[in-house]
């Protein structure tokens, strides 16, 4: 697996700890939107030190093939992180994993999420030979539900009490992409 992919004037790049400041800006700018659909974060999450340590661990996990987070950049805005997409929960026996993604609030409704996830699906199915890629989505996240449906994900129903959000266990919808 490569550390950078180029397509349609865009780049998906794995970042190391030297990009902690840029990644912290991305997360901080989108904190309210991202936190609505993500599990609680540690108190020190929004610090350069925490982000640097996370990026270093994620880089090492990619080398092992266990996890990968790619950040989306545009050739038109080379220093600006527009989104991120990750794969995790890799199971080699049945060639499966889960996928997660997010787009900066300033770049939504432009088709970037679909483009980014589409290319990650191609990478996962071709290079990592993944057969089954799952996405778990909060039922109120209509944009994300529409995104996965447009890319051919199939609904498999509800994962009850799947993630603890804002102090309570909440259901998520489970979608799967079959290569």
């Amino acid at each position: 697996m490569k550390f950078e992919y180029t397509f349609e004037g865009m780049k998906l790049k794995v970042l190391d700890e030297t990009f902690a400041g840029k990644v912290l800006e991305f997360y901080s700018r989108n904190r309210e939107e991202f936190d609505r659909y993500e599990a609680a974060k540690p108190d020190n999450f929004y610090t350069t030190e925490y982000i640097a340590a996370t990026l270093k661990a994620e880089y090492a996990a990619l080398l092992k093939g266990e996890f990968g987070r790619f950040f989306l950049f545009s050739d038109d805005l080379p220093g600006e992180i527009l989104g991120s997409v990750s794969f995790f929960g890799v199971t080699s026996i049945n060639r499966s994993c889960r996928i997660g993604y997010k787009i900066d609030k300033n770049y939504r409704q432009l088709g970037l999420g679909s483009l980014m996830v589409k290319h990650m699906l191609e990478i996962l199915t071709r290079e990592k030979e993944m057969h089954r890629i799952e996405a778990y989505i909060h039922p109120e996240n209509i944009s994300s539900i529409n995104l996965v449906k447009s890319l051919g994900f199939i609904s498999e129903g509800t994962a009850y009490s799947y993630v603890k959000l804002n102090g309570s266990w909440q259901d998520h919808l489970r979608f799967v992409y079959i290569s």
Side-chain angles (χ1 to χ4, degrees):
M1 178 163 254
K2 298 187 292 188
F3 289 88
E4 183 174 318
Y5 296 87
T6 304
F7 56 93
E8 301 180 39
M10 310 297 281
K11 285 185 178 65
L12 283 174
K13 293 173 60 170
V14 174
L15 302 179
D16 64 21
E17 65 269 15
T18 63
F19 288 89
K22 275 284 178 204
V23 174
L24 179 58
E25 286 175 24
F26 170 67
Y27 287 145
S28 296
R29 183 173 52 249
N30 293 282
R31 184 176 187 168
E32 186 176 324
E33 287 81 8
F34 293 167
D35 284 355
R36 284 187 6 211
Y37 300 117
E38 295 179 351
K41 297 173 179 66
D43 291 339
N44 64 337
F45 181 87
Y46 291 98
T47 65
T48 305
E49 295 76 22
Y50 186 91
I51 297 299
T54 300
L55 290 170
K56 187 175 182 177
E58 289 176 354
Y59 193 89
L62 181 66
L63 293 175
K64 295 178 185 175
E66 300 168 347
F67 175 94
R69 183 181 315 278
F70 291 79
F71 290 89
L72 180 68
F73 293 88
S74 167
D75 290 348
D76 296 333
L77 300 164
E80 184 85 12
I81 296 174
L82 307 181
S84 73
V85 60
S86 60
F87 67 89
F88 51 96
V90 175
T91 307
S92 57
I93 293 172
N94 60 1
R95 310 302 308 163
S96 70
C97 67
R98 285 176 277 165
I99 191 170
Y101 48 88
K102 50 189 100 184
I103 292 291
D104 188 294
K105 66 180 181 177
N106 297 320
Y107 300 100
R108 293 196 181 144
Q109 306 302 319
L110 300 175
L112 296 177
S114 294
L115 186 63
M116 177 178 69
V117 173
K118 175 186 162 202
H119 283 282
M120 182 51 67
L121 291 172
E122 290 173 9
I123 293 164
L124 290 171
T125 56
R126 288 188 184 149
E127 290 187 33
K128 291 198 63 71
E129 299 177 341
M130 290 290 122
H131 171 68
R132 178 183 174 86
I133 301 164
E134 297 177 356
Y136 290 79
I137 303 171
H138 193 280
E140 294 175 6
N141 192 344
I142 303 303
S143 295
S144 192
I145 292 168
N146 290 337
L147 184 153
V148 296
K149 285 182 176 179
S150 75
L151 294 175
F153 280 75
I154 302 162
S155 174
E156 287 193 325
T158 302
Y160 295 99
S161 209
Y162 182 69
V163 175
K164 193 171 189 177
L165 298 175
N166 303 312
S168 68
W169 288 98
Q170 298 188 26
D171 300 342
H172 275 58
L173 302 176
R174 183 173 67 201
F175 293 88
V176 65
Y177 180 87
I178 305 293
S179 66

